Every structure is written in C-alpha cells, then in structure tokens.
Amino acid sequence: MIAKIGRGSNLYGALAYNYQKVEKETGQVLFTQNIIQAPDGSYNVEQLSRSFELHLLANRKTEKPILHISLNPDPKDNVSDTNFENMAQDYMRQMGYGNQPFVVFKHTDIDRTHIHIVSVCVDADGRKISDKFEKRHSMEVCRMLEKEYGLISALDKKQEAHNQTFKPVDYKAGDIKSQMASILRHLPKYYQFQTFGAYNAVLSLFNITAQEVKGEYNGIPKLGLVYFALNEKGEKGSSPFKASLFGKSAGYLQLQSQCGQNRIKLKDSPTKGSVKERIESVMRNTSNESEFRKKLMQEGISIVVRRNAAGRIYGITFIDHKSRSVWNGSELAKNLSANTFNDWWNNKKTENSAHKSSVSKKDVIIKPETGQSPDTADFLINEKMPHAYEQNSFNVLGGLLPQSHTEDYEEHVFDNRMKRKVKRRRL
C-alpha cells in the first residue's frame, strides 16, 4: 500500500474534489470522525466544512493546515469497506491524528479502489501536530497495515516492477484519461528520444498520439500539445486531451527541453553503435518485412514505419527497449534510412543493394500539411495518423514503466493545482 500526504490551505477545495465523486456515484463517504451529520444521515460540502471550523479558527500560524491523504492498496487487493474504515482509523492514529475530525472517502472511478482522508493538522488549541520524519513514519505504518490486513507489499511490487508489462491504451475500455495518464507521466522518464517524431513513435506502441496546437493569447503566440487515444486502425479514437492534464513531463516545453538533453547524451554514446549492429545483423538474416519485425522484437527492438497514402516509406524509427533509446533510421546510418527500406520492401531490391543505398534530395518526401521534410517538421504532426504510423503488437519486454495500473489523473491535477496556489502565495 502506498500513502500520499498533501497539505494545503483550501479546505473547501479538498472536500469538493472528493464529494464530486460521490455525486457522480464513483465515490462514497465511508467513515467520519467528529463530523457533523444531518438528521437524515446525509452529508454535503458545506456541512462537512463546519466540522473543521473550530480547529481552523484556533489555528495560530500554520500556513497549510489542511490534510489530504490517500491510501492506495495494490489493484489486486480486495479490501472490504470495513477494512478500509479500520485502516483509515489505524493510519490516522499511528500518524498522530487519531483525535482529529476527519472524513474518509472511498473512490471507485479507476481500477485501483482507494480511499482519501480529509482532515486538519492543527489540534483544538490551534497547535500544529508534529510532522517530523513524516514520510519515513508513514512508510513504516503502511508496512504494518499491509501485514495486519494481508495486503500486497508495496516494497515487493517495487522490486517486481521491472518484470511487469505496461498495457497499451484500450479506447473501448473507458476511463481513457486515466489510462493515458499512467503512460504519459512516466514515459519521458524511461525513454531517450531526440525528436518529437521519435516521441510519437514510442507513444504509438501504447495506442497514443500527440499533436501540436497553436494559438494566441493577448497577442502572444502559444504552443501546446493535445493527446489522442488510437483505435485498432491507428486512427484517433478519442476526444483530445490537453497535455496539462498529465503534468509538466507531457507538455510541449518540457519535451522540447528533454529532446535537447537526450541529443547531447546520445551523441557520443556507445549505445548507437550497439543498436546499429544488432539491426544490421537482423537485416542480413531476413528476407522480408514481417520476418524483419519478428526478429527485431526478439532482439528487444520495436520498429515504427511511416508510410504516405501511396504506401511509400518516408520514415522509420527503431525503439531499443534494452537501452531505452529511440532512433530514426537515418540517425543510425545511411543504410538504415527510410529510403533503404522502401527500396527493400516496396521496390523489391535485395537486402545487399538496400545496404548500399543512400538518401538523395529527390527522395525526400515533403509533408503536404507543412511543406517541410519530416526531419525539419518534428513538432508538426501529420493529421492523418493512419498513413503516418503503423501499429506494433507490444506483448514482450516487461519493465517498460514502473506500474501496470491506471492512475487517478484528476487527483494528480488537483494536487498540482494546490501546489501552484501555494507557490503563488509565496511570490
């Protein structure tokens, strides 16, 4: 089980965030302590807020007196409501908040059923309850609760994480935002891509594509990204989702910066030579595209091919899951360029002659949407994704990302919003 502890100054916001899930019937008020209850046993945000008023009025100088805690068992744990209630009380007591007013919300809007606890960290006299060594103490309490309630250990899951396979987005399964959030928040940390096109190639393995959006605000040009889930044909299968829903790591500026950093890291890295040799070895021992893809996957390398409407190959990207590096074919060598594979697979030239071919000016395919070559238009995504990216089957190479369940993207956005408010007040 993992516990997340947040602090803020907006009690109403913390309660409203949780209560909106109750109203949507994807959450419920599971337990309360020292909380005012209506005669009919119901709750609402205003009523819940009043239960904390005395503590907040007595508050002496604590800037962030609101506690917003989530307790997150493993998705495979089957925790009863009674155990959730008892766990919440045990956790609050062990952390020093056992006498505080608090309300426990159960969330069921994602496959990881979990609970949120809203409370205050100042006592009835307005003194702040000590949070010394809080993180370490919380981890110790979680280990104790795992044993007491027979939960899967988060430490064991962490050790096993490198053997887990992360599932691509299934646009038919619903809760697309949460599926995408799990991938988009972690992917940039684990793969070294040097261009936005390369980033999109990796995303395509998980049935996601990114697209640049341009606009203007108060006369200032703005650039941003939106993300789509892809269907089984590689077409956009969902509404667009703003990058801001998934944190800074999924945003335009952060990805630009990361591409630049990755180019520096990979420039003189021996990884390039290793990947090149493994691909060339497979080329020498295969005779067609299907066989080439299959043997590359056995080497731990995925391939994403970009074809235009006429079927001509104008781009090819190799994703090495061993080194977690992403390469356009022409970055590795001339004999691994898109033109080489177009000659080999489309024009039926032999593998040996394909090795000798190089890209000439007349072979550069111009994107009709941008008037630029693919190499100079990395941040301008082809609108017609079915012609741009072919979908790869992705059922090997565990350990791509650290977890294999969906995340509560709304919780992530809410936490970020609270942090931004605190930062603005400090300025």
Side-chain angles (χ1 to χ4, degrees), residues 31 65 266 277-278 281 310 358 399-400:
F31 176 82
L266 294 175
E277 289 175 4
R278 286 155 60 205
S281 175
S358 61
L400 298 181

Side-chain angles (χ1 to χ4, degrees), residues 212-215 220-225 252-253 256 379-380:
E212 184 192 56
V213 290
K214 297 180 180 180
I220 302 174
K222 297 288 183 179
L223 295 174
L225 295 177
Y252 178 87
L253 293 178
Q256 256 193 331
F379 281 83
L380 298 172

Side-chain angles (χ1 to χ4, degrees), residues 252-297:
Y252 178 87
L253 293 178
Q254 180 66 24
L255 289 169
Q256 256 193 331
S257 174
Q258 187 157 349
C259 285
Q261 294 173 19
N262 289 340
R263 279 192 288 271
I264 295 172
K265 290 178 184 177
L266 294 175
K267 182 178 180 182
D268 299 316
S269 171
T271 299
K272 180 177 180 178
S274 172
V275 175
K276 174 178 176 291
E277 289 175 4
R278 286 155 60 205
I279 296 172
E280 289 178 338
S281 175
V282 172
M283 288 179 73
R284 288 191 292 269
N285 293 284
T286 54
S287 58
N288 57 57
E289 180 175 357
S290 176
E291 188 179 8
F292 180 69
R293 285 178 177 274
K294 182 178 179 180
K295 291 197 173 182
L296 266 187
M297 187 61 79

Side-chain angles (χ1 to χ4, degrees), residues 332-343:
L332 292 170
K334 287 184 177 180
N335 64 306
L336 299 181
S337 68
N339 194 58
T340 296
F341 289 93
N342 187 69
D343 285 344

